[in-house]
Amino acid sequence: MSVEDGGMPGLGHPRQARWTLMLLLSTAMYGAHAPLLALCHVDGRVPFRPSSAVLLTELTKLLLCAFSFLVGWQAWPRGAPPWRQAAPFALSALLYSANNNLVIYLQRYMDPSTYQVLSNLKIGSTALFYCLCLRHRLSARQGLAVLLLMAAGACYAAGGLQDPRNPHPGPPSAAAAGPMPLHITPLGLLLLVLYCLISGLSSVYTELLMKRQRLPLALQNLFLYTFGVLLNLGLHAGGGPGPGLLEGFSGSAALVVLSQALNGLLMSAVMKHGSSITRLFVVSCSLVVNAMLSAALLQLQLTAAFFLATLLIGLAVHLYYGSH
């Protein structure tokens, strides 16, 4: 049974072992993102512009792809470069860029705890677009597994970690700033639905594009990240006055950019050879890594909600990938 049909590669074959290692690395990098970002804080705030980190991440991806061609790790297609096939990746880059910026605007219309919980609806929207666009029907077990992932994400976001210096329930970032009443405006709810729909659509559209084109993955990435750099460069330049591109960056910030770039390349391989659903499981499993690193590096405490979320994720993995 294939990964797309719900199978999980075993470890007997070298390629299957590399696939499993790739998923584990991606899970670790996803989970490490928030703790590493927290280590960058100066006086409780990120000292650099978020748009700078996004732009540098896209640029790093692009340079890594170009480097793979230059050193011969990837073979350039014979004949004239298929530039016409690059155009569809502009939409992928636009969707990803819109999603990244919506995350920032959403914080204006709801509290962090509400956002963390409700944003897990993007798991359901991704599964929905996966079924509609790729015409892949999920079984009852697989559908239940997706619902369990949504529940696990909401459970963890609602109080999987706690700052012992502040017993306020919810995400530690919200607790550190002091109690904030739960709220969401009508516009915030509309933007949240839009965010979840764009998140699911961008993932499934990119998967569909990568699988339909018979091009090397590195070349597809080159197309995608070229548009990504151009879009984010425009957004950064049009963002108004603020810190310079590299202002406020430290070793931890550079590590955040590098890990995000490498993880983006790993995720493109998952989209090409696996599925958007596989990506959902990677992101959900990364919550465990996130919690363990947060406890070790940031002295946060694991709560009962974390263990419940871990149990739900384990059950979801068993339902989706286990023997039917």
Side-chain angles (χ1 to χ4, degrees):
M1 184 178 293
S2 70
V3 176
E4 294 176 59
D5 293 331
M8 178 171 284
L11 294 177
H13 197 280
R15 292 185 64 183
Q16 294 173 333
R18 288 197 297 270
W19 173 260
T20 302
L21 177 61
M22 184 182 69
L23 294 181
L24 291 175
L25 285 174
S26 185
T27 300
M29 288 181 184
Y30 261 118
H33 176 64
L36 286 176
L37 199 58
L39 293 177
C40 299
H41 285 192
V42 176
D43 297 327
R45 300 183 64 181
V46 175
F48 50 84
R49 291 174 67 176
S51 61
S52 297
V54 175
L55 174 58
L56 289 172
T57 299
E58 293 299 303
L59 184 59
T60 303
K61 294 176 188 176
L62 180 60
L63 292 176
L64 288 173
C65 289
F67 181 74
S68 69
F69 281 115
L70 289 175
V71 300
W73 292 346
Q74 298 289 332
W76 188 264
R78 294 182 179 180
W83 299 116
R84 289 183 179 179
Q85 298 186 65
F89 286 97
L91 179 56
S92 286
L94 182 61
L95 289 172
Y96 283 126
S97 180
N99 218 43
N100 291 335
N101 284 276
L102 267 176
V103 171
I104 300 173
Y105 287 108
L106 279 171
Q107 314 304 320
R108 302 179 181 180
Y109 304 104
M110 67 190 71
D111 64 282
S113 296
T114 299
Y115 164 74
Q116 292 285 346
V117 174
L118 294 183
S119 64
N120 285 282
L121 292 172
K122 65 186 178 184
I123 296 176
S125 67
T126 301
L128 177 63
F129 282 116
Y130 179 73
C131 295
L132 293 176
C133 299
L134 298 178
R135 298 179 182 178
H136 184 95
R137 189 172 183 178
L138 299 181
S139 67
R141 283 171 59 101
Q142 293 172 335
L144 178 58
V146 171
L147 291 176
L148 287 177
L149 285 186
M150 294 173 62
C155 184
Y156 178 77
L161 292 171
Q162 187 176 70
D163 189 339
R165 296 162 296 183
N166 191 331
H168 174 65
S173 57
M180 180 184 293
L182 298 178
H183 73 279
I184 181 171
T185 66
L187 179 58
L189 183 60
L190 178 62
L191 290 175
L192 182 73
V193 172
L194 182 62
Y195 163 75
C196 292
L197 290 175
I198 293 178
S199 178
L201 180 61
S202 61
S203 178
V204 174
Y205 172 77
T206 304
E207 176 188 348
L208 182 64
L209 192 57
M210 287 186 163
K211 287 180 175 175
R212 283 189 173 179
Q213 291 186 350
R214 295 187 177 181
L215 293 176
L217 176 60
L219 183 58
Q220 292 179 316
N221 282 336
L222 198 67
F223 294 154
L224 176 61
Y225 301 137
T226 297
F227 287 116
V229 168
L230 293 175
L231 278 171
N232 285 286
L233 182 61
L235 289 171
H236 179 78
L245 181 63
L246 297 177
E247 187 175 345
F249 267 75
S250 61
S252 297
L255 188 57
V256 169
V257 169
L258 181 60
S259 65
Q260 285 297 99
L262 291 174
N263 196 32
L265 294 174
L266 290 175
M267 276 295 101
S268 67
V270 169
M271 307 292 267
K272 178 83 168 180
H273 305 294
S275 71
S276 298
I277 302 297
T278 306
R279 177 181 175 274
L280 290 181
F281 276 92
V282 168
V283 175
S284 294
C285 290
S286 71
L287 297 180
V288 180
V289 179
N290 174 275
M292 301 303 291
L293 287 177
S294 296
L297 300 177
L298 307 176
Q299 285 76 53
L300 299 177
Q301 292 181 347
L302 304 178
T303 68
F306 161 74
F307 294 102
L308 177 58
T310 303
L311 179 63
L312 292 175
I313 292 171
L315 183 56
V317 171
H318 173 71
L319 286 173
Y320 199 94
Y321 292 108
S323 301
H324 291 199

